[in-house]
């Protein structure tokens, strides 16, 4: 799979797991980070150790101009992306009455606007290449069923599903697939403070998911075998829904 793949939020968590899973497969990985340059470099070093190759790129996905400028410059220098994985995201949980405007705006701007900001400069070059492509957007079980204390996060992730459902038929004739993955509770920094015994009661498989269990699905959706899968929301949640 000697194709350029952009992964946003690749310095840790699910994004890092995706990078490490793809590393031995011959992809040319573009690993995005915003603030944690050390973690991004560590991810790239791990990718290299696994026989992969790539580069790191930095921008704030919530900053439309900065995102477009960075992506456009990288594609001009190194080539168009075959795959774009919109994984960057944040949470700021609180009961709705205590959720201030900044908590709402920051989550929406990063998770929902950030996907638009990332994809908008990528899509026309992908179309112009006439080689097909893959777009994978990381939603969440919260975007499907909601979750107490996550009105902002759930709204952003539900919005991503709506975007996928709309963008997929636009690009289908170009052989560019567009899908969403909706993870449940996955072992990452974002879930590190959750009391495991409480969450397990809601998970039929009685455990948290592992990042590589999401990464393996990403790898499949990027493959030629998944060329007829588009406009789908695929859950990885241990049977929660």
């Amino acid at each position: 799979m000697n194709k350029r793949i952009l992964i946003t939020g690749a310095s840790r968590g699910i994004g890092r797991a995706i990078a490490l899973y793809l590393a031995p497969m011959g992809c040319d990985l573009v690993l995005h980070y915003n603030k944690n340059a050390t973690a991004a470099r560590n991810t790239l070093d791990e990718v290299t150790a696994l026989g992969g190759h790539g580069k790191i790129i930095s921008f704030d996905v919530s900053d439309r101009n900065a995102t477009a400028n960075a992506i456009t410059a990288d594609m001009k220098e190194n080539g168009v992306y075959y795959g774009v994985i919109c994984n960057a995201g944040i949470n700021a949980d609180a009961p709705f009455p205590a959720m201030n405007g900044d908590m709402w705006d920051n989550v929406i701007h990063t998770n929902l606007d950030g996907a638009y900001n990332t994809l908008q400069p990528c899509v026309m070059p992908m179309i112009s290449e006439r080689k097909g492509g893959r777009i994978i957007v990381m939603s969440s079980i919260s975007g499907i069923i909601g979750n107490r204390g996550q009105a902002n996060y759930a709204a952003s992730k539900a919005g991503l599903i709506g975007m996928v459902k709309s963008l997929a038929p636009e690009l289908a004739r170009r052989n560019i697939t567009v899908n969403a993955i909706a993870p449940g509770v996955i072992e990452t920094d974002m879930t590190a403070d959750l009391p495991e015994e409480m969450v397990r009661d809601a998970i039929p498989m009685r455990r948290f998911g592992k990042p590589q269990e999401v990464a393996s699905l990403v790898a499949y959706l990027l493959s030629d075998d998944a060329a007829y899968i588009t406009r789908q929301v695929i859950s990885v949640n241990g049977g929660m829904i």
Side-chain angles (χ1 to χ4, degrees), residues 14 29 69 72-73 88 99 101 106 120 122 145 166-167 181 188 191 194 199 203 211 217:
I14 291 173
L29 300 176
N69 290 340
T72 300
M99 186 177 291
N106 291 340
Q120 208 282 330
C122 296
I145 64 172
S166 300
L167 183 57
I181 297 175
T188 66
T191 62
L194 293 178
V199 176
I203 304 173
L217 176 57

Side-chain angles (χ1 to χ4, degrees), residues 67-69 71-72 75 116-126:
T67 300
N69 290 340
I71 287 174
T72 300
M75 289 193 297
Y116 168 83
N117 296 342
T118 300
L119 291 174
Q120 208 282 330
C122 296
V123 168
M124 274 308 302
M126 290 174 77

Side-chain angles (χ1 to χ4, degrees), residues 77 139 152 160 192:
E77 181 178 353
S139 182
N152 51 359
L160 291 174

Side-chain angles (χ1 to χ4, degrees), residues 181-210:
I181 297 175
V185 185
I186 307 297
E187 293 175 354
T188 66
D189 293 345
M190 193 176 288
T191 62
D193 295 331
L194 293 178
E196 192 166 345
E197 65 281 0
M198 291 177 61
V199 176
R200 278 182 173 173
D201 291 339
I203 304 173
M205 293 195 75
R206 307 294 290 174
R207 67 173 177 86
F208 290 4
K210 300 181 183 302

